[in-house]
Amino acid sequence: MKVELNEKPFLENGRHKVSITKVESGRSEHKDVPFFNCRFENEEGFVNHRFYLNEPGQPIMAELFHAVGIDDKRADTDQLKGKELSIEVHERTYDDPESGKEKTIKAARHFKAVGHSDTSESI
């Protein structure tokens, strides 16, 4: 059987310098919460991450926008496309409300400006 590969692999867990190559909006399947999804990508692979537009999501969105140099109180997610930053890729497990089973996904966290990718920074 011949197969055609049209996608990069998921990024390995750990810190990576990436570009935001795609930004899409949507609504969560179970609670209808609006979100935007970023595709973080480099030569080695990619990871997607949803940013929920609710109160718990505010600090995470603020960290992302700050890492790419957008510090406005109101910003357009289209401004994110093409921006470079450093992310930490990790796996996250949660209970899928639809099936009741555990589900594990790759996600991004600890967003840093390029050049500030160390987890320990000088004070």
Side-chain angles (χ1 to χ4, degrees):
M1 172 187 335
K2 293 182 180 183
V3 296
E4 187 174 327
L5 299 175
N6 295 317
E7 185 59 275
K8 293 179 177 185
F10 290 118
L11 288 169
E12 294 289 327
N13 290 351
R15 186 147 296 277
H16 299 273
K17 179 181 171 186
V18 295
S19 294
I20 299 172
T21 58
K22 188 184 282 187
V23 180
E24 299 174 316
S25 61
R27 298 188 80 80
S28 66
E29 296 85 355
H30 303 290
K31 294 188 178 181
D32 200 36
V33 176
F35 68 83
F36 66 92
N37 182 76
C38 288
R39 179 180 169 113
F40 299 102
E41 186 172 357
N42 64 22
E43 302 80 32
E44 299 168 9
F46 78 99
V47 67
N48 288 307
H49 187 92
R50 284 184 180 182
F51 296 87
Y52 290 96
L53 306 178
N54 58 13
E55 190 175 331
Q58 290 291 309
I60 301 162
M61 285 187 291
E63 184 180 342
L64 170 68
F65 278 88
H66 180 72
V68 298
I70 301 171
D71 291 318
D72 302 332
K73 288 283 186 192
R74 293 183 61 93
D76 189 331
T77 57
D78 289 338
Q79 294 175 276
L80 294 169
K81 194 168 179 185
K83 298 286 189 182
E84 290 188 341
L85 69 155
S86 172
I87 63 169
E88 182 181 306
V89 175
H90 72 290
E91 290 182 353
R92 183 173 69 83
T93 301
Y94 65 95
D95 292 329
D96 183 358
E98 197 169 286
S99 68
K101 296 181 180 179
E102 272 193 355
K103 187 173 181 180
T104 300
I105 61 169
K106 289 261 188 181
R109 65 180 176 190
H110 303 302
F111 308 101
K112 303 271 186 192
V114 173
H116 294 93
S117 60
D118 291 344
T119 54
S120 59
E121 297 179 351
S122 313
I123 296 179

